Amino acid sequence: MIRWEERGHVGVATIDREERRNALNADLCAEMLRHLQSNPSCRAVVITGRGTAFSAGADLGTRFGDEGAAAEQAHSSTDTFRPIFEDLMGAIDDYTAPVIAAINGPAIGAGLQLAVGCDLRVVSRGATLAIPAGKLGVFLSPANIERLGLLVGQGAAREVLVAGAMFTAEEALAKGLANRVVDDAFAASLEWADEIAQLAPLTVSGHKRALVLLARSQGYTPAQRAEVEALERRAFDSADVQEGMAAFADKRAADFKGR
């Protein structure tokens, strides 16, 4: 579940699925989306994970078979996670106040994508950050590739997506993936959120919107986006993605054939 609370002008969303290292599924994304949409007046929001992980990524065991309300909101009959995850990421972009990712532990795959989609990232020492898409045969959405590339630049983005690099907190800071590295990401994020909440709301929200629009204008052209979407479909239609999922479930190395 997503635990939502308000501390003055600051909203706090905690991914509470500690037994799965806060792995995300369609229902959790839908729940967080509802909290953001139902609480539009916060002056800052902190997203974190319960326990020792921020989020271990998408729950691959249920990604292609979630049922219930979240699946009904999804736009795909096969991948029930990605459509609602994309809706959540868009809602973070559109939320008028800054959203801070308090990365209290590993942020892997969709967990790191969620953090990249936030406005600011505070990382606890000892946390690790990675998107191991190449080990699974999966492909990021064009929007999330854009977010990562525009945030950290081509060099670091290629390390993450092409080379499958895993960064320590300190490396993430050096690459521009983290804004701050601290002992306690949650406490530091709350303190930062409180400071932001004291600033002029129209100035803060206006600057956030201006930067979101600027980032979007530096993204793909319609033709380029269509080409990336075709690459995405090819990856998800491949035998390799089936092998990647099977290898993950079997806890073995995948044997990819490139088809």
Side-chain angles (χ1 to χ4, degrees):
M1 66 179 294
I2 303 296
R3 295 190 181 276
W4 176 269
E5 60 177 315
E6 292 188 28
R7 304 186 181 195
H9 291 296
V10 176
V12 178
T14 303
I15 307 166
D16 188 358
R17 200 182 181 207
E18 193 173 0
E19 73 283 0
R20 295 299 301 272
R21 296 182 63 76
N22 300 321
L24 296 167
N25 59 22
D27 288 327
L28 287 174
C29 291
E31 190 177 353
M32 189 179 295
L33 176 62
R34 286 195 298 271
H35 284 306
L36 290 174
Q37 292 174 335
S38 301
N39 297 277
S41 60
C42 294
R43 295 188 181 183
V45 172
V46 174
I47 297 176
T48 194
R50 182 178 174 86
T52 59
F54 178 74
S55 173
D59 187 341
L60 299 180
T62 62
R63 175 168 184 165
F64 296 95
D66 284 352
E67 297 178 352
E72 293 175 5
Q73 292 184 46
H75 313 309
S76 166
S77 60
T78 53
D79 186 347
T80 63
F81 172 75
R82 175 161 292 190
I84 194 67
F85 182 65
E86 295 300 315
D87 288 347
L88 171 61
M89 298 292 282
I92 292 172
D93 263 354
D94 293 337
Y95 198 81
T96 56
V99 180
I100 302 173
I103 303 174
N104 54 305
I108 308 299
L112 181 52
Q113 292 175 63
L114 175 62
V116 167
C118 294
D119 300 288
L120 301 164
R121 283 151 296 283
V122 180
V123 185
S124 288
R125 291 183 178 88
T128 52
L129 301 87
I131 300 176
K135 293 182 178 180
L136 298 167
V138 300
F139 198 98
L140 271 67
S141 72
N144 283 320
I145 296 171
E146 277 182 347
R147 289 185 180 99
L148 179 65
L150 293 173
L151 176 66
V152 301
Q154 283 275 343
R158 288 178 192 234
E159 285 188 68
V160 173
L161 297 182
V162 178
M166 178 174 286
F167 293 149
T168 65
E170 291 75 17
E171 289 169 337
L173 182 65
K175 301 289 185 182
L177 195 53
N179 297 99
R180 298 179 179 181
V181 172
V182 297
D183 291 327
D184 186 335
F186 182 58
S189 295
L190 285 179
E191 183 178 354
W192 202 1
D194 285 335
E195 293 172 3
I196 291 171
Q198 302 306 311
L199 301 175
L202 296 180
T203 300
V204 173
S205 64
H207 281 154
K208 171 176 175 173
R209 183 61 179 168
L211 289 167
V212 167
L213 293 174
L214 178 62
R216 288 177 180 173
S217 72
Q218 295 177 31
Y220 300 116
T221 65
Q224 290 169 337
R225 181 175 292 272
E227 182 178 348
V228 177
E229 288 172 345
L231 293 171
E232 178 187 11
R233 287 193 298 272
R234 184 181 71 172
F236 277 101
D237 289 343
S238 70
D240 274 355
V241 76
Q242 298 175 33
E243 165 62 10
M245 295 294 174
F248 178 83
D250 296 341
K251 296 181 170 55
R252 59 173 174 81
D255 181 18
F256 294 122
K257 303 298 186 184
R259 59 178 184 268

